Amino acid sequence: MRRLRVLVAGSSVEKAGVLTDELLGAGYEVSTDRVAGGDVVEAGSDFDIVLVGNEADLRGWLKRRVCGCPVIAFGEEAGEDPAVEAMRAGADDYVSLQRPERVVGAVARALSVDDTRRRKEREELYHHVVEQAAEAMFLVEPESWEVIEANPACERMLGYGSGELSGVRLEEIVDPEDLGPVVRLAGESLRVEAHFPISYAHRRSDGSAKRVEGSISVISHAGRDILCFVVYDVTERKWAEDQLRHSVDALLAIYEASQLLSSTLEFEEIGTRLLKIMRRISTLTTAVISVPAEDGRLKVWRAIGFESLWSRARYTPEAQRALYEVLRSGEHRLIELRHPENREEKLSTLYLPLRIHEHTLGVLEVYGPDDLTEGRMVEILISLASKAASALENARLYGELAEREKQLQDLVGKLFTAQEEERRRIAYEVHDDLTQIAVAAYQHLQAYAALPEGAPGRRELLEQVIEMVHKTISESRRVIAELRPTELDDFGLAASIRLRVEALREEGWDVSYDENLGGERLPPTVETALYRVVQEALTNVRKHAGTNKVRIGLWREGDDVVLRVNVSGSPGCGSGSRCSVGGSIS
């Protein structure tokens, strides 16, 4: 029994009972609502049929109705004339009360036409949605694994013209490494008739790849089950995630290296952990630390991944020339090694000097694929090699100090105190600058991942993430560079402060520097202490003073050295603040 909800409208509603009785007798389950003539039916009203009486009011009522269901007019008159008049007014059919049994056929015809019309409208709507969808959609025949149909978004993503994907086999558009898992998942979807999430790489018509994510499901088409893929391009998102992940890994590794270089004085630990850190942040396959032996030849001191290196690759004439040239010149070299038996196989090789005080302690050899030689990665490895050389030199000095007399123990204690202070400073630098940038980049990437493909501002957001990643690398280099200012060892305190002042002026600071040491070098401990005071003072000015106007003075007063850092224009500073450090240097 079919349920039928009927709306009876017009001023002759009491006469419709004979029609609803006929519908009940034909097996319909009828529920009836009534409205007075001329009333408007609200949009979305859930009626199957409208019966309208009083033909004189029919035309005006139909103009106002918005329910959208079939309308059958009824009246006392029989014949063609009242039926034609009702049709002109907008009714779908007409039934005379003289032949009420005809209402059953009229209702059946109206419902059939309405069902066909609605089905056609739904099909047209679904087709329009699929055509306009941003997601790539395509249907696959599970026996031949051929594409039956694909929407325009799929054709654009894979670089095909309209209709060109039809008949293309799945193996032609799915990356070979992903084809097996995709086929297995498709078979499972056919077996249990369920949706499954899917992630794989598509092959485009030009041979390039697109990483996609989405779902696979089974639908019925022409009486058989076929596979429906709905996927969207995540290539840029994956690239951004990989870039951010690599940058964060590099940042953490650099921080770990900073802790290592400032906290350990053990040769073995420095060499082993340094190589592991370098492998983690780069694509290197092999890393070797070579040091000169007593006879002047280079010998392997520490290595990682040595078993994956070609047999005697580092002993080829080209490699040996590069090694000894780096040892002699103190400058890094980048070369490409070819396999002696297979010239198509090659290795990018980077030789980095472990250099301190114009003296090369050894050579760091790095072997790996082409992307190992990218500019930023080379710079990071060079910086780590430089700091490693400082750490190794510190370790050597500590070994010598350990053999000294008890009178040098005080100097050792000061060294540990300086190292603790340096560790604290580095921790603040990383927390206040590097970590904040990394967190901001992560939040921007989350916002980027939440935006759909093609959304306004999506590309700009990605560029902001990339800029933040670049900034993390720049900040990390700055942190590493400040671990130990080499200019202090090479040129002395006065020149080191002058270089720092010039750097601040380039940033737009208003800094004056008055110095009156006459080129005299102070004891290393005094120079280091005074330089750290200047460094910390300028850091505090940058973070807290609210001004960039600074006056620095350095001069002798008898046997004392006076350092003054005066900040003007800062809230709460009044006429300035003075920091003086003095002491006998005789």
Side-chain angles (χ1 to χ4, degrees):
M1 179 180 292
R2 176 170 180 177
R3 186 183 300 274
L4 190 68
R5 187 175 179 192
V6 179
L7 173 68
V8 182
S11 57
S12 301
V13 295
E14 69 280 354
K15 298 179 180 181
V18 64
L19 302 180
T20 56
D21 288 344
E22 290 289 338
L23 294 173
L24 288 169
Y28 286 100
E29 181 183 341
V30 179
S31 61
T32 306
D33 291 276
R34 301 172 184 273
V35 295
D39 290 347
V40 177
V41 181
E42 295 296 332
S45 298
D46 188 17
F47 296 107
D48 299 307
I49 290 290
V50 177
L51 299 177
V52 180
N54 192 351
E55 294 85 340
D57 294 336
L58 179 63
R59 187 180 300 277
W61 188 87
L62 287 174
K63 286 182 179 179
R64 291 188 295 275
R65 72 183 178 91
V66 291
C67 62
C69 55
V71 175
I72 298 176
F74 66 91
E76 298 287 351
E77 299 181 16
E80 295 183 358
D81 290 343
V84 171
E85 185 65 23
M87 300 291 189
R88 287 177 177 173
D92 296 287
D93 208 336
Y94 176 81
V95 175
S96 172
L97 293 176
Q98 299 177 24
R99 301 291 302 275
E101 70 278 2
R102 292 186 175 180
V103 72
V104 176
V107 168
R109 288 191 299 274
L111 292 178
S112 176
V113 171
D114 191 50
D115 287 345
T116 302
R117 175 180 58 81
R118 290 182 180 180
R119 184 168 58 253
K120 184 177 180 180
E121 289 177 352
R122 285 197 301 268
E123 290 175 353
E124 291 177 351
L125 176 62
Y126 293 154
H127 182 75
H128 181 72
V129 169
V130 171
E131 290 289 311
Q132 299 298 321
E135 293 86 357
M137 304 179 185
F138 61 99
L139 305 178
V140 174
E141 160 60 49
E143 294 183 2
S144 64
W145 298 106
E146 291 183 353
V147 176
I148 301 173
E149 190 174 351
N151 71 341
C154 182
E155 293 170 339
R156 289 192 299 270
M157 183 181 72
L158 298 183
Y160 286 82
S162 179
E164 291 181 354
L165 272 172
S166 296
V168 174
R169 290 178 60 81
L170 192 64
E171 64 190 33
E172 299 179 51
I173 58 173
V174 175
D175 190 90
E177 294 185 0
D178 293 329
L179 183 60
V182 169
V183 171
R184 285 193 295 272
L185 196 60
E188 185 68 12
S189 181
L190 285 167
R191 188 179 66 82
V192 301
E193 297 185 356
H195 286 71
F196 286 96
I198 195 167
S199 175
Y200 62 97
H202 261 308
R203 281 197 341 203
R204 304 182 77 248
S205 59
D206 60 4
S208 61
K210 284 282 187 182
R211 196 74 200 176
V212 299
E213 291 180 357
S215 66
I216 182 173
S217 60
V218 179
I219 64 173
S220 180
H221 176 69
R224 57 199 175 110
D225 289 340
I226 61 173
L227 295 164
C228 177
F229 288 75
V230 180
V231 297
Y232 53 94
D233 185 2
V234 295
T235 306
E236 286 190 1
R237 194 192 79 193
K238 290 292 186 183
W239 177 84
E241 289 176 352
D242 290 342
Q243 288 292 105
L244 180 60
R245 186 180 301 108
H246 182 72
S247 297
V248 170
D249 285 344
L251 178 62
L252 293 175
I254 290 170
Y255 174 64
E256 181 182 335
S258 299
Q259 286 188 313
L260 167 66
L261 301 182
S262 62
S263 64
T264 184
L265 294 172
E266 295 293 332
F267 268 86
E268 306 297 328
E269 185 179 5
I270 292 172
T272 302
R273 292 185 61 186
L274 174 66
L275 295 181
K276 290 181 178 179
I277 290 171
M278 294 179 70
R279 166 175 269 185
R280 196 177 83 194
I281 66 172
S282 71
T283 58
L284 66 87
T285 57
T286 304
V288 179
I289 297 178
S290 302
V291 296
E294 294 182 359
D295 58 5
R297 291 187 297 180
L298 285 170
K299 65 176 182 180
V300 175
W301 178 56
R302 285 289 177 273
I304 187 171
F306 204 73
E307 66 283 353
S308 63
L309 194 61
W310 302 332
S311 178
R312 301 191 62 79
R314 66 184 298 274
Y315 299 105
T316 62
E318 184 181 12
Q320 289 294 298
R321 282 195 300 270
L323 271 170
Y324 284 97
E325 183 179 338
V326 171
L327 184 64
R328 177 186 56 81
S329 66
E331 298 180 357
H332 77 276
R333 283 286 310 276
L334 178 64
I335 66 174
E336 186 177 84
L337 295 178
R338 297 278 181 174
H339 196 286
E341 298 178 359
N342 181 9
R343 302 301 292 176
E344 295 299 322
E345 189 176 352
K346 59 185 180 180
L347 272 178
S348 292
T349 307
L350 180 64
Y351 298 103
L352 302 167
L354 299 174
R355 192 171 179 82
I356 187 74
H357 300 312
E358 303 300 323
H359 174 64
T360 303
L361 306 176
V363 179
L364 177 59
E365 310 167 36
V366 181
Y367 304 85
D370 290 342
D371 57 0
L372 176 67
T373 62
E374 292 180 355
R376 285 175 294 175
M377 182 52 62
V378 170
E379 292 177 7
I380 291 174
L381 294 177
I382 290 174
S383 180
L384 285 176
S386 174
K387 301 313 169 185
S390 297
L392 290 172
E393 178 67 6
N394 287 342
R396 184 186 66 82
L397 292 175
Y398 176 71
E400 294 179 356
L401 289 174
E403 299 175 359
R404 297 279 182 91
E405 300 292 336
K406 189 176 180 179
Q407 60 189 9
L408 298 179
Q409 290 180 357
D410 183 56
L411 180 58
V412 174
K414 292 180 180 179
L415 177 61
F416 279 117
T417 300
Q419 288 176 337
E420 284 295 324
E421 180 63 24
E422 186 69 357
R423 185 184 302 110
R424 182 190 64 80
R425 186 186 66 81
I426 295 169
Y428 280 125
E429 287 282 348
V430 172
H431 178 271
D432 293 346
D433 297 321
L434 298 179
T435 303
Q436 299 302 320
I437 298 172
V439 169
Y442 175 76
Q443 292 174 343
H444 277 65
L445 185 60
Q446 284 186 313
Y448 170 82
L451 291 176
E453 181 74 21
R458 193 169 188 263
R459 185 66 192 179
E460 290 77 4
L461 192 58
L462 177 60
E463 292 174 353
Q464 292 176 9
V465 173
I466 295 173
E467 180 61 27
M468 289 180 180
V469 171
H470 289 173
K471 191 173 181 180
T472 62
I473 295 175
S474 299
E475 287 294 317
S476 66
R477 292 176 188 150
R478 182 181 65 79
V479 171
I480 292 176
E482 291 185 357
L483 283 174
R484 175 63 184 175
T486 56
E487 63 268 20
L488 187 64
D489 299 321
D490 297 335
F491 307 111
L493 177 63
S496 298
I497 296 177
R498 182 175 292 105
L499 289 174
R500 191 160 185 92
V501 167
E502 291 174 358
L504 291 174
R505 287 171 179 168
E506 291 179 358
E507 295 179 20
W509 284 48
D510 181 5
V511 186
S512 68
Y513 176 43
D514 297 318
E515 173 265 325
N516 187 22
L517 294 182
E520 179 184 3
R521 291 295 300 267
L522 305 176
T525 54
V526 175
E527 288 192 335
T528 300
L530 292 177
Y531 184 84
R532 292 306 186 193
V533 169
V534 173
Q535 188 180 53
E536 184 67 18
L538 294 177
T539 298
N540 290 334
V541 170
R542 181 189 297 272
K543 293 182 178 179
H544 309 298
T547 183
N548 61 2
K549 295 182 179 180
V550 182
R551 303 292 179 264
I552 301 175
L554 180 66
W555 65 89
R556 287 284 300 270
E557 288 184 359
D559 291 334
D560 294 337
V561 175
V562 178
L563 169 66
R564 180 177 181 181
V565 180
N566 185 285
V567 182
S568 60
S570 173
C573 286
S575 60
S577 58
R578 169 174 171 153
C579 170
S580 298
V581 179
S584 174
I585 60 170
S586 57

